[in-house]
Amino acid sequence: MSTPKIGVALGGGGARGLSHIPVLQALDDMGLTPHAITGTSIGALIGAGYAGGMSGDQLEEYTLETLGEWKKVLGKLVEVSMPKRFADLIGGKSSFGQFDSKRVLEVFVGDVLKQDFSELSIPFQAIAADYYKAEEVRFAEGNLVDAVSASIAIPFVFKPVHLNNTVLIDGGVVNPLPFDVLPGDCDIVIAVDVVGTPKKDEKRAVPSATESVFGATQILMQTISQEKLRIRAPDLSIFPNIKQYQVLDFLKAREILEDSAGLRNSVKVELDQKIENYLIS
């Protein structure tokens, strides 16, 4: 019997989503290429990189190179904040309150992210949310950078994305764990849940305004994911132990990767068992 078709769903969760990388490294170690990948928010970004030909090890190396030094990150954020044209500054098109998600992608991953879905070696879908229709939007073709920029557009952090007469925001508010978007012919479905729960600050009795915004979003995403899991469970659900990290803890990339590194071996053990069970069934 041939190797089963494996579908991989990478969920949303901000910086916690860097723990998707050890899962992909496990697949590489096993010599397995996913039949299809779906991703929401940070899962869409990492999934797009992997579907575009980057290995798990390359994703880790690039992450540490890009986010490993705060001075480099600060320099890139300054570049992101500055308008591309002087006319944009004069015209008031520059905003220092929220980032432009597409501009962030250009500055941080512009040299490695493919431009179009047609360039990907693995079928991939990115999930965003239609703000006014309150509906899930699935991207599987066309401009990949536009799709990922919409999927990662976390409210409060990024400006909504206006694309094809539609206003789009982060896909996590409609489908934080998009395993149900994978093709029906997948034999084994893997879902990596990195939503987490709000973290209590021992120095304060109640969360700050910013913490409340992100915490409320986490609660919403948890509710959606838990309801989906009750209806239908993936063959392999992975919950990285990274609850101590916050949505915007990207400067803790090294710590997140170190704390989730054990997934590389544990996923291989669990997935190997799933494949064995599939082959003998």
Side-chain angles (χ1 to χ4, degrees), residues 55-269:
S55 68
D57 285 346
Q58 287 173 327
L59 284 168
E60 179 178 25
E61 181 181 355
Y62 190 85
T63 297
L64 293 175
E65 179 183 326
T66 306
L67 301 174
E69 295 183 28
W70 70 268
K71 289 184 179 179
K72 287 185 178 180
V73 176
L74 181 60
K76 287 180 178 293
L77 287 176
V78 170
E79 185 178 349
V80 166
S81 300
M82 294 301 293
K84 296 178 69 173
R85 301 179 305 161
F86 182 71
D88 291 339
L89 179 62
I90 298 300
K93 294 182 180 180
S94 177
S95 171
F96 292 92
Q98 292 175 298
F99 291 111
D100 181 318
S101 58
K102 188 171 184 178
R103 180 65 176 150
V104 168
L105 292 181
E106 290 173 351
V107 171
F108 280 88
V109 298
D111 55 339
V112 295
L113 193 65
K114 302 295 186 184
Q115 295 297 305
D116 196 273
F117 278 86
S118 63
E119 301 176 62
L120 302 180
S121 56
I122 300 172
F124 170 71
Q125 290 190 72
I127 309 302
D130 185 318
Y131 181 78
Y132 288 110
K133 290 185 178 179
E135 293 178 349
E136 176 181 312
V137 178
R138 301 177 181 181
F139 291 96
E141 60 183 9
N143 190 298
L144 180 66
V145 178
D146 283 343
V148 175
S149 66
S151 186
I152 69 170
I154 301 173
F156 185 76
V157 178
F158 295 112
K159 294 182 289 185
V161 173
H162 189 260
L163 184 65
N164 300 326
N165 296 318
T166 304
V167 176
L168 302 165
I169 61 172
D170 183 89
V173 300
V174 287
N175 197 343
L177 191 60
F179 62 88
D180 55 327
V181 179
L182 288 165
D185 62 344
C186 290
D187 300 308
I188 296 176
V189 171
I190 301 172
V192 189
D193 189 330
V194 294
V195 172
T197 54
K199 179 184 177 183
K200 185 176 182 180
D201 188 333
E202 300 300 333
K203 298 179 181 179
R204 289 195 300 269
V206 296
S208 66
T210 301
E211 289 170 340
S212 295
V213 170
F214 290 126
T217 302
Q218 280 180 280
I219 294 170
L220 166 67
M221 294 168 69
Q222 280 282 5
T223 302
I224 296 172
S225 293
Q226 289 170 13
E227 186 61 29
K228 287 176 56 180
L229 290 170
R230 275 194 287 268
I231 297 172
R232 169 196 168 195
D235 298 290
L236 179 56
S237 296
I238 301 169
F239 301 91
N241 185 25
I242 35 75
K243 294 181 180 179
Q244 65 272 35
Y245 298 104
Q246 300 298 303
V247 172
L248 300 181
D249 278 345
F250 286 98
L251 286 176
K252 297 181 180 179
R254 188 174 300 278
E255 293 94 323
I256 294 172
L257 288 168
E258 288 175 351
D259 285 343
S260 58
L263 288 172
R264 187 167 186 166
N265 286 325
S266 63
V267 168
K268 285 190 286 187
V269 172

Side-chain angles (χ1 to χ4, degrees), residues 262-281:
L263 288 172
R264 187 167 186 166
N265 286 325
S266 63
V267 168
K268 285 190 286 187
V269 172
E270 293 183 65
L271 182 55
D272 186 65
Q273 185 63 56
K274 295 292 182 184
I275 293 175
E276 182 178 342
N277 292 341
Y278 171 81
L279 294 175
I280 63 177
S281 63

